[in-house]
Amino acid sequence: MSPRADVILQNGPIWCGREEGVAEAIAIWQGRVLAVGRQSEIAPLIGPKTRVIDLNGRLATPGLNDSHLHLVSLGFMMSWVDATPAAAPSLDALLSGIRTRAAKTRPGEWILARGYDQTKLDVKRHPYRTELDEAAPDNPVMLVRACGHISICNSRALELAGINENSSAPPGGLIEQRNGSLTGLLAENARGPVWAVIPSPTEDDLVAAIERGGRYLLSYGITSCMDAAVGQRGGFAEIAAYHRAKREGRLPVRTWLTLLGDPDRTIVPQCYEAGLISGTGDDMLMIGAVKYFLDGSAGGRTAWMSKPYLGEDQTTGIKILTDDELNELVMDAHVKGYQLACHAIGDAAIEQLITAYERALAAIPDPDRRHRIEHSGFSTPEQHRRMLKAGIYPCPQQVFIYDFGDAYVSVLGEERGLSSYPFRTWFDLGLKPATGSDAPVCDPNPFPNFYSMLTRKTWKGTVMDAHERVTIEEALQAFTEFGAFSQKLENTKGRLVEGQLADVSVFSRNLLTATPEDILDNTYCDLTIRGGAIVYDRLGVT
């Protein structure tokens, strides 16, 4: 006799997976899917203690998996000054936000802000050091661009970091000067001295950030995520914070940890010595991959391209690691058994990374290691061929098209900008692209992500190569099954089939039939279920 279900969802379409299609009801038992099928087939599993949830026509899907974000940073930055275009569309509004925070902050304490995009500001440029000085004369200020690869610092912050007009930029970094004076702009590795003088978070701070960011994800139907640079804020202590959050029931989402491996701040040796290699952990918390940064962002003109950006400076971006450095780092992690998930946006950086991966896989073959290229925004047809042959997978963030597509065109021109993040191409080639938000680079809200996959439209309405559109079923597959695949967990989660984890998202409308515009502007996550338990209820009536 079959066990009685703990929970049953019925009376609404249940999208179980792209191959599985739509069911009428689903039964959950002991945190996993017990059965799916017609409502009449599932009804016998209802017992006296079964909780029956009426979908009332709403769509249920597998819990979303944001395959690339920064959970710790998201949690911290939710308390920073909001400098996003929505909150600060003009330079005056941005500076006003910093000025308001300074009025509430003790002299000498840091003011941190994030989210501006110079291409969306009314002045069409980065803020200047002197403007931040005026807004907060008694506090060190660091304003981080949306991409996270560029910071604008005021004079007090630069002074604390020991950066002046005589400072030399480190390899893979930029300290901008104009007319012999610091503008305050620091890019990539040049930001290290500033981070070094910002007070380090305590374990309590880290756990609180994990919990805060994770609860925010649950409100969007995101039940799983990848933290894309563990160690970036708290070093090896972030590992302890994650485990404490899990022990105390304060880890809201299933989290796959990507270990920061950059030479000047790596936590990989400590993790390896502790036996924390890829696959270590359980369904809630698992060691995933090792990450190196190869370049920056396209909108910030620091992604490493084979041809120059538009403009007189003829820059091709920033190459963070030499070929020899990257080859050695990738080989070391590969030999130790780690999956790799490295940041490469520009085509030159992607080329460097594929070459390093191919070299490691030739030395120690592993046809299912699934090394990843995070972002992979400007990959080429020849690079796709090599990725297929080697078993290398792109992990893009399609919401970048919505948020930053116009910036790509402005800095690279239409030919390169419009064809970026070629999602349809990756799908058709069988490269199983996952998707995510890179939060806090973009908000983890999945609806702009869906919209950009379906329409290839930017926030301004620019169509970024309509040939790269996908269907809503394909978009859902990228956000669920392919996200699990990218973590080698496709047999554990990502579909609503018997035996898989009972992670379910219930949306306010049927995404399968809704217009892209309604998905973008008029859709909410109503209910989030993780392991059979309701962990978010927007309406509070379930």
Side-chain angles (χ1 to χ4, degrees), residues 65-300:
N65 187 339
D66 192 310
S67 298
H68 183 116
L69 56 71
H70 302 262
L71 184 56
V72 170
S73 292
L74 173 64
F76 277 125
M77 292 178 189
M78 289 172 72
S79 64
W80 288 19
V81 175
D82 185 354
T84 59
S90 67
L91 178 62
D92 283 346
L94 190 159
L95 295 174
S96 177
I98 292 173
R99 194 176 295 112
T100 298
R101 180 63 60 92
K104 304 175 184 177
T105 305
R106 289 181 296 183
E109 289 187 351
W110 280 84
I111 293 174
L112 304 172
R114 178 160 181 166
Y116 86 95
D117 179 345
Q118 81 282 5
T119 68
K120 296 181 182 179
L121 282 176
D122 57 338
V123 292
K124 304 298 181 185
R125 62 166 173 80
H126 299 282
Y128 295 139
R129 166 182 61 91
T130 51
E131 292 166 333
L132 299 185
D133 288 344
E134 184 276 329
D138 300 321
N139 301 88
V141 177
M142 181 175 70
L143 167 64
V144 181
R145 190 181 182 274
C147 63
H149 292 264
I150 289 173
S151 299
I152 312 298
C153 296
N154 74 346
S155 298
R156 281 181 172 263
L158 294 171
E159 182 180 354
L160 288 170
I163 297 173
N164 56 44
E165 281 77 5
N166 297 318
S167 299
S168 298
L174 169 69
I175 300 174
E176 186 180 73
Q177 291 193 38
R178 291 187 182 178
N179 301 319
S181 179
L182 295 172
T183 65
L185 187 149
L186 308 174
E188 307 303 341
N189 288 348
R191 299 169 302 139
V194 179
W195 279 111
V197 294
I198 295 174
S200 298
T202 65
E203 186 177 275
D204 286 347
D205 295 333
L206 291 166
V207 172
I210 291 166
E211 184 174 32
R212 185 186 307 119
R215 290 193 180 281
Y216 188 50
L217 298 183
L218 291 178
S219 74
Y220 285 122
I222 298 167
T223 55
S224 293
C225 74
M226 175 262 241
D227 189 324
V230 177
Q232 201 167 34
R233 290 298 311 276
F236 187 63
E238 289 187 25
I239 298 292
Y242 264 112
H243 281 86
R244 177 180 152 191
K246 179 190 164 189
R247 287 194 311 272
E248 296 180 356
R250 299 174 64 188
L251 178 60
V253 292
R254 304 185 192 279
T255 309
W256 196 76
L257 305 180
T258 300
L259 312 176
L260 187 62
D262 290 350
D264 59 341
R265 48 185 179 162
T266 179
I267 66 169
V268 174
Q270 292 164 288
C271 289
Y272 186 69
E273 186 178 346
L276 301 176
I277 61 171
S278 295
T280 304
D282 59 20
D283 294 337
M284 275 304 296
L285 185 64
M286 182 175 289
I287 300 296
V290 167
K291 179 181 185 180
Y292 307 115
F293 283 90
L294 275 68
D295 67 345
S297 73

Side-chain angles (χ1 to χ4, degrees), residues 294 304 323 326-327 330-331 334 340-363 371-374 376-394 426 431:
L294 275 68
W304 179 28
D323 294 349
L326 180 65
N327 287 337
V330 166
M331 184 68 76
H334 181 80
L340 283 146
C342 300
H343 171 117
I345 290 182
D347 63 323
I350 295 168
E351 183 76 14
Q352 186 190 36
L353 183 57
I354 291 174
T355 301
Y357 283 165
E358 289 172 333
R359 180 174 175 271
L361 288 163
H371 291 325
R372 298 168 29 161
I373 302 178
E374 304 306 298
S376 196
F378 297 85
S379 54
T380 68
E382 173 59 19
Q383 290 168 347
H384 298 156
R385 183 193 67 78
R386 292 165 63 192
M387 291 164 67
L388 275 171
K389 182 178 179 180
I392 299 166
Y393 296 91
W426 291 327
L431 285 170

